[in-house]
Amino acid sequence: MLMIKPLEDILVVDFSQFLSGPSASLRLADLGARVIKVEKPETGDICRQLYVSNLIMNGDSSVFHAINRNKESFVADLKSEIGRNEVWELVKQADVVMHNFRPGVMERLGFDYEAVKLVNPEVVYGEISGYGDEGPWRDKPGQDLLVQSLSGLTGLSGNGDKGPVPMGIAIVDILTGAHLAQGIMACLVRKGISNVGGLVQVSMMESIVDFQFEVITTYFRDGGEPTVRSLKNNAHAYLGAPYGIYRTSNGYMAIAMASIPQLGELLNCPALLEYQEVASWFNERDQIKSILAKHLLGGTTEQWLAILEPADVWCSDVLTWEKLMQHEGFKVLDMIHEVTMGDGYRYRTTRCPIKIDGEYLLSKKGAPKLGEHTAAIIEEMLVKHTLGK
Amino acid sequence: MKPLENLVVLEFCQFMAGPSAGLRLADLGARVIKIERPGKGESGRQISIKNLFSGDDGIVFHTINRNKESYAADLKSPEDLKRIKKLIEQADVMTHNFRPGVMEKIGLDYETVKAINPRIVYGVVTGYGNKGPWASKPGQDLLLQSLSGLSYLSGDKNDAPTPFGLAVADMLCGAHFVQGILAALIRRGKTKAGALVEVSLLESIIDFQFEVITTYLNDGGKLPDRAMRGNGHAYLSAPYGVYKTKDRYLALAMEDLDTLGETLGCYELLEYKGSDSWFVYRDDIMRKLGLFLKERTTAEWLAILEPADIWCADILNYEEFLNHAGYKALQMEQETVTATGDRIRTTRCPIRIDGERLFSPKPAPMVGQHVKDIERDFNLSAGYGNAS
């Protein structure tokens, strides 16, 4: 028997654009929900045109294809009466409604939580803002790099001799989307028990603060000392040596937490034996890392791993995607799958990372063309509507 | 009412990924009980950053394990195991991150547990899944970042691979774990049946890169190329990145170069015709823009750019950020008081439900701190073995 996907029969009406909201609805879709993207006429979700590396796939950007597979597209002009009426029919039948407009926009459009709740009291309504709905940042654009920059995050990566180093993926968007999905599903659990809906609100700024909870708590605890990255080989500003990535004679290798004298013995690097005090591994990490970095240049990654791995030191090679995808450790996961769009266009992308009852959550459905499902959904809604009467 | 009220979660997990999921479930209203070995407790208690402790436990442990209870049990002792099984009968969720085979040996693998409680949602976190050559490799965050290609996305073109300076694989995997568990609980509400939920650090850190990996899979396999200087994202066009100004730094996100050039009065930018060229000539553009932006202070540039709706921001350190009115307005902080009276200032759950922030003053537990309460609430000691 086929697995019943956990969110089967749940209808999500998603007004969101770009990455944060749509990444949440992708997760809900992969977990079994039916997700209908409500898009504006002509351009649709702005992400369709957000080309990266100048790549266009079947008319839309590659990132749009990654984020919006397994969804349907419904085009409606929210400023026209016909469009609004159609969307109201959708919203009435939805289990989940979500958006990521700036504060105030949904109220103007008329589909805010209070209005939706009137026609659909059990709805779970999710919204994402950049910075919450109060304070001086309220109307600032909720954009990933800006939130990284304001939140102190850029002081954590890269070496101490560099300026701010952003994390090179939209970490804020992705975490915010993950938190929205959590909040929505928590409310769906509650709805199953007590038949009440709920309002779920997340903001990009709160999500990126949460991501830094360990180090911000440390910052409070240490009396607010400045965040200092190690001069070289930094991988975590708050961890001691050897934690970092090191160059070898033929590539790179990573070493996580390890005892410095033990490393000295295993690698035959006597200078490291002097650091017997655990506290020195943090306090003198720049010296230790520089000794270690010089020493590791004298051998290949494979040579060093062959010594350290059997001794249970936490270490690894540093791979590019090309090397990763050739590796058996990656291949066994079947992380890459092919999806097909309504017009037959096929592309490869990754699957949902969660396994349920021993099975991967797979879907063959590619991203929708703008408005691809509008007509079918209208017909379906009208039928339901008529039958409902 | 918090959404997960009355749900009971048994957490056999250690370190970061699993316990961060337990924390989220706790903040959403579940009663989360850590099952720990007597005496030492979970291994995460010994982890310290900057050598900071409260009592015997690292501050990191306190941060990740607040709002939980602790039950001490030796899983190798038949008596203790019996009590644990009785607890499992009454639980909604249990989670662990033991290496493949360990729970089978103890006798708390999914099949056994399902026989005790068919409604349970049973969650497992691994490093790399349970098959293949990496299955027994240590599931440590930096190693996952290094193996997954992630370290080639941050930093500048000529930099060595640059990891994210936080445990990003752990955090994302914990987030996915919560999602899987909640989804299974939603289904259980309809079908009355539990589920097995599995996540791994490797799958989570690949999923995190889904946009750029999808690009890589469809652009003929071009490896990421970071900008020469001030790289913000290897796949995005100029001006995306960070720039030095006269006194500080400035971040610029996606922007139409013509608009940016006109607004700043940096007319060199107008020479790049068509948005394709903003990616192709990214290094040239960023270099020219960088020289231009050095002439004035960050505040001066923001005063020009913000009114023109150009996506830009100052770059703050923790001191500046955590004292900023924009941060304070979020009310992200709370204080927990440990059993020994130590006050720990930390952050709260980032999700708001029904307009309310989710606070919880409950501190991280000492090992076995709640044995008595739990034995009473779940009727563990009274005639176990033959009781109904």
Side-chain angles (χ1 to χ4, degrees):
Chain A
M1 195 185 87
L2 264 177
M3 166 185 52
I4 306 170
K5 286 187 182 172
L7 302 187
E8 215 143 271
D9 299 325
I10 286 176
L11 175 63
V12 178
V13 175
D14 180 10
F15 292 87
S16 68
Q17 304 197 78
F18 287 124
L19 175 57
S20 61
S23 69
S25 62
L26 172 63
R27 184 57 38 82
L28 300 176
D30 282 342
L31 287 164
R34 176 182 182 188
V35 175
I36 299 178
K37 274 180 89 67
V38 176
E39 298 188 81
K40 64 184 165 210
E42 285 164 42
T43 49
D45 181 342
I46 309 167
C47 186
R48 289 180 180 272
Q49 280 88 50
L50 182 67
Y51 306 118
V52 304
S53 129
N54 289 338
L55 176 64
I56 303 180
M57 293 163 56
N58 203 19
D60 292 310
S61 71
S62 53
V63 294
F64 179 83
H65 285 286
I67 306 166
N68 293 287
R69 59 175 180 76
N70 205 5
K71 302 180 188 176
E72 297 169 39
S73 169
F74 185 89
V75 164
D77 178 1
L78 296 179
K79 286 169 185 152
S80 87
E81 199 176 330
I82 299 178
R84 297 167 57 79
N85 287 341
E86 288 167 358
V87 172
W88 272 118
E89 280 309 313
L90 270 185
V91 162
K92 274 182 205 164
Q93 295 169 32
D95 299 284
V96 175
V97 173
M98 51 185 278
H99 76 85
N100 62 355
F101 292 115
R102 286 197 205 184
V105 172
M106 224 18 175
E107 283 75 8
R108 278 205 297 281
L109 292 170
F111 294 95
D112 57 287
Y113 179 52
E114 291 307 320
V116 169
K117 204 167 63 166
L118 284 179
V119 299
N120 184 351
E122 285 176 28
V123 74
V124 173
Y125 189 100
E127 58 186 28
I128 294 178
S129 66
Y131 309 83
D133 52 8
E134 53 197 344
W137 287 334
R138 176 184 188 271
D139 296 313
K140 230 184 135 49
Q143 195 283 330
D144 192 89
L145 179 63
L146 309 188
V147 179
Q148 287 198 36
S149 299
L150 291 172
S151 71
L153 192 74
T154 61
L156 299 174
S157 307
N159 292 334
D161 58 0
K162 285 186 75 89
V165 175
M167 294 182 174
I169 283 197
I171 176 81
V172 188
D173 282 318
I174 297 210
L175 287 165
T176 312
H179 296 158
L180 184 71
Q182 292 175 346
I184 287 172
M185 287 196 277
C187 282
L188 287 171
V189 171
R190 180 175 68 175
K191 184 181 166 184
I193 297 167
S194 53
N195 282 321
V196 296
L199 171 64
V200 180
Q201 291 163 299
V202 296
S203 74
M204 296 171 71
M205 190 52 100
E206 284 162 279
S207 287
I208 204 65
V209 170
D210 176 66
F211 180 49
Q212 302 173 76
F213 75 144
E214 274 188 288
V215 287
I216 288 179
T217 303
T218 301
Y219 176 88
F220 292 147
R221 186 75 177 182
D222 72 13
E225 289 177 17
T227 307
V228 180
R229 299 168 294 186
S230 64
L231 198 56
K232 298 286 178 193
N233 312 97
N234 175 60
H236 195 301
Y238 288 83
L239 291 177
Y243 204 83
I245 287 180
Y246 294 84
R247 191 181 255 295
T248 64
S249 67
N250 68 339
Y252 293 94
M253 68 182 290
I255 308 178
M257 301 87 173
S259 146
I260 297 298
Q262 190 202 359
L263 276 184
E265 274 175 26
L266 288 166
L267 300 171
N268 195 18
C269 177
L272 295 181
L273 300 179
E274 291 176 21
Y275 298 91
Q276 295 291 331
E277 288 286 320
V278 174
S280 71
W281 306 347
F282 182 78
N283 298 333
E284 295 170 60
R285 66 183 173 179
D286 283 344
Q287 296 92 305
I288 296 172
K289 284 181 164 189
S290 118
I291 294 167
L292 184 59
K294 244 180 244 152
H295 188 80
L296 291 172
L297 281 173
T300 65
T301 300
E302 293 74 21
Q303 284 171 335
W304 297 129
L305 293 178
I307 295 168
L308 296 179
E309 281 185 332
D312 268 334
V313 173
W314 291 353
C315 59
S316 74
D317 200 350
V318 180
L319 304 180
T320 60
W321 290 331
E322 189 182 8
K323 293 257 166 66
L324 166 75
M325 290 181 192
Q326 289 161 1
H327 200 288
E328 204 49 40
F330 176 81
K331 287 184 184 167
V332 292
L333 297 175
D334 284 322
M335 269 309 284
I336 308 292
H337 72 314
E338 190 177 71
V339 296
T340 307
M341 292 174 62
D343 63 2
Y345 181 87
R346 295 166 171 210
Y347 61 96
R348 296 202 301 153
T349 186
T350 55
R351 63 163 170 80
C352 177
I354 303 168
K355 218 170 165 184
I356 304 276
D357 297 336
E359 289 184 44
Y360 298 130
L361 299 161
L362 298 173
S363 158
K364 294 265 165 223
K365 205 155 98 188
K369 283 284 194 183
L370 179 60
E372 182 176 337
H373 305 91
T374 310
I377 291 168
I378 288 178
E379 192 172 324
E380 180 192 343
M381 280 185 326
L382 283 177
V383 170
K384 262 198 193 175
H385 191 70
T386 325
L387 288 181
K389 287 185 176 169
Chain B
M1 187 184 125
K2 289 185 180 173
L4 303 184
E5 223 142 280
N6 300 321
L7 291 178
V8 174
V9 178
L10 304 180
E11 177 173 287
F12 295 79
C13 286
Q14 312 202 79
F15 298 118
M16 177 94 180
S20 70
L23 173 62
R24 183 58 38 83
L25 297 172
D27 282 341
L28 287 165
R31 179 177 186 181
V32 177
I33 300 170
K34 287 183 84 68
I35 309 294
E36 301 188 80
R37 64 193 152 161
K40 278 184 135 180
E42 84 135 281
S43 313
R45 290 180 180 269
Q46 272 83 57
I47 289 191
S48 80
I49 60 180
K50 283 187 105 177
N51 306 320
L52 294 172
F53 282 84
S54 171
D56 294 333
D57 306 316
I59 282 299
V60 180
F61 177 83
H62 283 277
T63 309
I64 308 171
N65 293 285
R66 61 172 180 77
N67 206 5
K68 300 180 188 175
E69 299 172 31
S70 170
Y71 185 83
D74 174 3
L75 298 178
K76 285 172 193 149
S77 130
E79 253 85 273
D80 281 10
L81 194 60
K82 238 182 225 172
R83 282 195 196 92
I84 290 297
K85 287 186 172 171
K86 204 159 173 202
L87 202 45
I88 286 174
E89 274 174 34
Q90 301 165 72
D92 300 284
V93 176
M94 75 174 263
T95 66
H96 78 79
N97 64 342
F98 293 114
R99 293 202 190 175
V102 173
M103 272 310 213
E104 282 75 4
K105 231 184 274 164
I106 293 171
L108 292 178
D109 54 289
Y110 180 53
E111 291 309 320
T112 311
V113 166
K114 194 165 78 167
I116 301 171
N117 178 357
R119 285 171 55 87
I120 204 157
V121 173
Y122 185 101
V124 186
V125 186
T126 61
Y128 308 81
N130 47 25
K131 54 185 178 184
W134 284 338
S136 55
K137 209 178 155 58
Q140 196 283 330
D141 191 85
L142 179 61
L143 312 189
L144 268 303
Q145 292 198 40
S146 301
L147 291 171
S148 68
L150 187 76
S151 63
Y152 287 96
L153 297 172
S154 307
D156 296 335
K157 195 193 212 70
N158 295 325
D159 288 343
T162 302
F164 282 32
L166 281 179
V168 61
D170 280 318
M171 291 294 284
L172 287 162
C173 187
H176 299 157
F177 201 31
V178 171
Q179 293 172 344
I181 289 166
L182 292 176
L185 286 169
I186 294 167
R187 183 176 70 178
R188 187 185 78 163
K190 295 172 187 166
T191 63
K192 312 294 171 214
L196 172 64
V197 175
E198 293 167 280
V199 293
S200 72
L201 296 171
L202 182 56
E203 285 161 282
S204 288
I205 202 70
I206 300 288
D207 174 70
F208 177 49
Q209 302 173 73
F210 76 133
E211 288 183 285
V212 281
I213 286 181
T214 299
T215 304
Y216 171 80
L217 291 170
N218 294 280
D219 72 359
K222 280 183 271 178
L223 286 171
D225 186 17
R226 298 171 290 186
M228 188 62 81
R229 217 191 160 104
N231 179 63
H233 194 299
Y235 284 83
L236 291 176
S237 309
Y240 203 90
V242 297
Y243 297 86
K244 183 121 192 54
T245 63
K246 198 172 173 185
D247 62 335
R248 300 172 58 87
Y249 289 91
L250 177 74
L252 288 170
M254 305 86 173
E255 193 55 60
D256 182 302
L257 265 199
D258 298 330
T259 313
L260 184 65
E262 293 283 358
T263 309
L264 289 171
C266 179
Y267 300 108
E268 281 175 290
L269 302 186
L270 307 184
E271 289 163 20
Y272 297 90
K273 301 288 177 210
S275 55
D276 280 12
S277 71
W278 306 342
F279 185 69
V280 176
Y281 299 106
R282 178 174 61 185
D283 288 340
D284 290 342
I285 298 168
M286 289 180 80
R287 185 172 43 81
K288 287 177 185 166
L289 185 55
L291 286 172
F292 188 84
L293 291 172
K294 268 191 192 146
E295 296 299 316
R296 294 205 213 174
T297 64
T298 297
E300 286 175 294
W301 291 127
L302 291 173
I304 295 168
L305 296 171
E306 283 186 330
D309 257 337
I310 284 173
W311 289 359
C312 58
D314 194 359
I315 298 185
L316 307 181
N317 62 30
Y318 280 151
E319 190 185 355
E320 294 158 340
F321 172 57
L322 298 170
N323 290 299
H324 197 287
Y327 167 77
K328 301 241 175 197
L330 301 173
Q331 299 176 45
M332 269 310 286
E333 292 170 23
Q334 59 182 347
E335 194 175 72
T336 63
V337 183
T338 66
T340 57
D342 190 9
R343 292 172 182 277
I344 297 175
R345 190 168 153 211
T346 186
T347 55
R348 64 165 166 84
C349 177
I351 304 169
R352 303 187 200 186
I353 302 285
D354 300 332
E356 304 281 336
R357 296 175 174 87
L358 300 167
F359 290 103
S360 166
K362 197 154 117 188
M366 296 191 293
V367 181
Q369 188 183 335
H370 303 91
V371 168
K372 272 193 186 147
D373 297 342
I374 292 163
E375 295 197 335
R376 182 196 60 225
D377 294 353
F378 295 91
N379 200 22
L380 298 190
S381 33
Y384 62 80
N386 53 10
S388 59

